[in-house]
C-alpha cells in the first residue's frame, strides 16, 4: 500500500507522523509527502519517506491520495492533481473543514469513465500523530470494500466512525475542537494542583494519568460516565461537594455552550 499526502502543515504533518509511527505502510518509502516548503519536508525525508514539492509527481503511484490543505487552497490543489490521478484504481481523501462533497465532485469531474474518483471526506484530530485520533469519515461513490479499506487505514491511527456529511461540522467541534477543550480542562486541573501544593510537572503527570484512567475505564466497561461518577461519590463526601461546586459555576452548561459555539 502506498499513500501520498499533499500538504504537510499541522494536520497533514500529523497524519504523516501517524502513518509512520503506527506502521500503516510497510516501510517509510511507501509514504510520499508533498508540500511547497522544502524545509517542512526535511523531517519526513530524514526518516525515509519520499518527499517532493511536485504534487502531481507525489500522487502518481499512490493507492490513497490525501489532500490536507487550507480550505481556500483545496480547489486549486485538487484541480492541479486532477489529470495525474487514475480514477480507476486510486482513492481520494480530502481533509478540509467546510468543503462539501458536491464542490469536490464538481472540481474533479472528468469526461472519461469513471468520471468520478472514489472520494472520502475525513476529519481527524491532531492526536492522529500518536495513533489516538477520533476521525469522522464520509465515503462518496465508494464501494463497501473501499469504505472498509479507508476505515481500516484510519483505525490504525485511533478510531474512526462513518457519518452522514451533515454531521461533519458537529464532529469537528466535538472531536477536533474538542481535543483543545480537553487540553483546557487538563491545564485548569494542573493549575488547581499547583494551588493544592504540587509542583507543576507533578500536577500535570497526575492529571494526565487521571484523565487517561477515566477514558480507559469507559472504553473497557462501556458504562455511562454518570455510573462511574456514582461509584466515587459517597454521601456527604468530598467528590460530590467538588462536583456540585463545579456545576454551580456552570461546568456542564459551559461545555455544551462551547461545543455549540463551534458550529456558528
Amino acid at each position: 500500500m502506498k499513500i501520498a499526502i499533499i500538504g504537510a502543515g499541522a494536520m497533514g504533518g500529523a497524519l504523516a507522523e501517524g502513518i509512520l509511527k503506527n506502521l500503516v505502510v510497510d516501510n517509510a518509502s511507501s509514504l510520499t509527502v508533498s508540500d511547497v516548503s522544502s524545509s517542512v519536508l526535511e523531517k519526513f525525508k530524514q526518516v525515509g519517506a519520499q518527499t517532493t514539492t511536485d504534487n502531481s509527481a507525489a500522487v502518481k503511484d499512490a493507492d490513497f491520495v490525501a489532500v490536507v490543505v487550507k480550505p481556500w487552497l483545496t480547489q486549486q490543489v485538487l484541480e492541479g492533481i486532477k489529470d495525474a490521478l487514475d480514477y480507476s484504481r486510486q482513492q481520494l481523501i480530502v481533509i478540509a473543514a467546510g468543503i462539501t462533497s458536491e464542490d469536490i465532485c464538481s472540481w474533479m469531474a472528468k469526461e472519461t469513465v469513471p468520471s468520478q474518483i472514489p472520494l472520502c471526506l475525513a476529519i481527524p484530530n491532531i492526536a492522529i500523530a500518536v495513533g489516538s485520533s477520533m476521525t469522522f469519515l464520509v465515503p462518496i461513490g465508494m464501494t463497501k470494500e473501499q469504505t472498509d479499506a479507508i476505515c481500516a487505514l484510519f483505525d490504525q491511527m485511533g478510531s474512526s466512525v462513518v457519518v452522514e456529511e451533515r454531521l461533519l461540522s458537529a464532529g469537528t467541534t466535538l472531536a477536533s475542537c474538542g481535543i483543545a477543550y480537553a487540553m483546557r480542562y487538563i491545564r485548569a486541573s494542573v493549575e488547581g494542583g499547583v494551588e493544592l501544593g504540587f509542583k507543576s510537572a507533578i500536577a500535570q503527570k497526575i492529571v494526565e494519568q487521571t484523565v487517561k484512567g477515566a477514558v480507559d475505564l469507559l472504553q473497557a466497561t462501556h458504562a455511562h460516565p454518570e455510573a462511574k461518577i456514582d461509584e466515587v461519590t459517597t454521601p456527604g463526601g468530598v467528590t460530590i461537594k467538588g462536583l456540585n461546586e463545579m456545576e454551580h459555576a456552570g461546568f456542564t452548561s459551559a461545555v455544551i455552550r462551547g461545543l455549540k459555539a463551534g458550529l456558528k
Side-chain angles (χ1 to χ4, degrees):
M1 177 174 64
K2 293 185 177 181
I3 301 173
I5 299 174
I6 309 299
M11 191 67 253
L15 175 59
E17 288 181 34
I19 289 171
L20 293 169
K21 290 179 181 177
N22 291 281
L23 305 177
V24 175
V25 289
D26 294 332
N27 52 69
S29 63
S30 294
L31 173 67
T32 300
V33 184
S34 179
D35 196 90
V36 294
S37 172
S38 298
S39 60
V40 169
L41 297 172
E42 188 59 32
K43 66 178 179 180
F44 301 112
K45 185 177 181 179
Q46 289 179 358
V47 295
Q50 303 293 320
T51 61
T52 180
T53 57
D54 184 337
N55 292 343
S56 293
V59 306
K60 184 178 178 181
D61 297 320
D63 300 300
F64 298 96
V65 176
V67 173
V68 197
V69 296
K70 298 297 184 184
W72 57 87
L73 294 174
T74 303
Q75 180 177 1
Q76 175 187 335
V77 170
L78 286 172
E79 290 179 342
I81 62 173
K82 178 177 175 179
D83 291 338
L85 292 170
D86 183 346
Y87 287 17
S88 67
R89 68 170 189 83
Q90 293 178 303
Q91 296 178 51
L92 177 64
I93 302 165
V94 176
I95 301 175
I99 302 298
T100 68
S101 62
E102 183 179 3
D103 285 337
I104 296 169
C105 289
S106 174
W107 300 333
M108 300 302 287
K110 285 186 179 182
E111 294 181 358
T112 59
V113 178
S115 62
Q116 290 289 347
I117 190 169
L119 166 68
C120 185
L121 305 182
I123 299 293
N125 63 37
I126 58 171
I128 201 165
V130 292
S132 291
S133 175
M134 179 67 247
T135 303
F136 299 89
L137 303 172
V138 180
I140 306 293
M142 301 181 75
T143 65
K144 181 182 183 304
E145 291 73 19
Q146 290 169 333
T147 299
D148 289 346
I150 290 285
C151 290
L153 173 65
F154 283 96
D155 281 345
Q156 291 180 75
M157 298 176 284
S159 294
S160 69
V161 59
V162 174
V163 300
E164 298 174 44
E165 188 169 350
R166 67 181 180 85
L167 290 174
L168 274 189
S169 293
T172 300
T173 192
L174 193 59
S176 298
C177 301
I179 201 165
Y181 305 153
M183 295 288 187
R184 183 56 60 87
Y185 166 79
I186 290 171
R187 190 195 77 174
S189 293
V190 170
E191 291 177 353
V194 172
E195 189 166 338
L196 292 172
F198 291 101
K199 291 185 177 180
S200 179
I202 298 299
Q204 181 166 330
K205 180 179 180 180
I206 293 167
V207 175
E208 287 172 351
Q209 184 58 42
T210 302
V211 172
K212 182 179 183 298
V215 173
D216 288 348
L217 266 175
L218 292 178
Q219 290 183 333
T221 63
H222 304 293
H224 190 284
E226 220 38 59
K228 289 301 177 185
I229 289 173
D230 286 345
E231 291 181 11
V232 294
T233 50
T234 55
V238 294
T239 304
I240 191 62
K241 291 177 181 177
L243 286 171
N244 284 342
E245 190 64 30
M246 292 178 187
E247 290 300 335
H248 288 322
F251 181 80
T252 297
S253 176
V255 171
I256 295 170
R257 289 178 63 182
L259 290 169
K260 291 172 71 175
L263 290 175
K264 296 179 180 179

